[in-house]
Amino acid sequence: MKKEFLETGKIVNTHGIRGEVKIQPWADSAEFLQGFEVLYIDNKPVRLLGGRVHKQCLIAQLEGVADINAAVAMKNKIVYIRRADVKLPPGHFFIQDILGLPAVDEAGVRFGVLKEILPQPGGDVYVIAGDGGAEHLVPDVEAFILEKNLDEGFIRVRLIEGM
């Protein structure tokens, strides 16, 4: 079952004395977060009154956070977005939706579970926890990740010697 609210970042610090907070985005860019009217913190909607990108973070003015004291109280809180507020382009998905999916080989035989996705400069690397205890590192390229089937709930992988 897909989560209604998705973790998207963390308030890592305050910014200035007027209540702005610094949000470090986890999965998407600061520009992506800047496009939302409402963020969710502590299971409550919080309006994003304004924001700007600074060093890959979003400097945000949140409703109800008007001074440095209120901003300090927000530090280390997790920021969520509501899935319904996002319109993804065709073929795109949320990383959280594929984590935990079974990994199958070309013949459809399960050999593990997608445990983690490591962002790398040359592209993402999928970490698959093998059913036999081995760990497989698989680059997210068409030669190795053959199919990401969210509807049926699996990823199809071509493994080669040494993966």
Side-chain angles (χ1 to χ4, degrees), residues 17-29:
I17 61 170
R18 295 193 176 118
E20 289 181 312
V21 295
K22 182 177 182 180
I23 302 173
Q24 178 183 41
W26 284 347
D28 296 294
S29 67

Side-chain angles (χ1 to χ4, degrees), residues 102-137:
V104 301
D105 64 16
E106 292 176 86
V109 177
R110 177 192 158 114
F111 68 89
V113 173
L114 180 60
K115 179 174 88 172
E116 186 178 0
I117 298 177
L118 304 173
Q120 300 294 312
D124 292 342
V125 174
Y126 285 20
V127 179
I128 299 171
D131 291 339
E135 188 171 85
H136 306 277
L137 301 177

Side-chain angles (χ1 to χ4, degrees), residues 93-163:
F93 53 86
F94 294 107
I95 291 172
Q96 293 180 34
D97 291 342
I98 66 168
L99 289 175
L101 287 183
V104 301
D105 64 16
E106 292 176 86
V109 177
R110 177 192 158 114
F111 68 89
V113 173
L114 180 60
K115 179 174 88 172
E116 186 178 0
I117 298 177
L118 304 173
Q120 300 294 312
D124 292 342
V125 174
Y126 285 20
V127 179
I128 299 171
D131 291 339
E135 188 171 85
H136 306 277
L137 301 177
V138 182
D140 182 16
V141 295
E142 288 182 19
F144 300 116
I145 303 296
L146 305 175
E147 181 181 3
K148 300 168 193 168
N149 191 324
L150 275 66
D151 294 331
E152 295 182 34
F154 67 88
I155 59 169
R156 188 177 311 279
V157 178
R158 175 180 295 133
L159 291 177
I160 60 172
E161 185 92 25
M163 270 190 185

Side-chain angles (χ1 to χ4, degrees), residues 1-6 40 81-85:
M1 178 170 186
K2 294 181 179 178
K3 296 179 182 177
E4 180 182 2
F5 296 96
L6 304 168
Y40 296 83
I81 58 173
R82 191 169 63 117
R83 178 186 297 276
D85 293 342

Side-chain angles (χ1 to χ4, degrees), residues 3 9-10 32 34 39 53 63 72 77 112 127 129 133 145 150:
K3 296 179 182 177
K10 180 179 182 179
F32 176 78
Q34 190 176 15
L39 300 172
V53 176
E63 182 178 49
V72 167
K77 296 208 180 261
V127 179
I145 303 296
L150 275 66

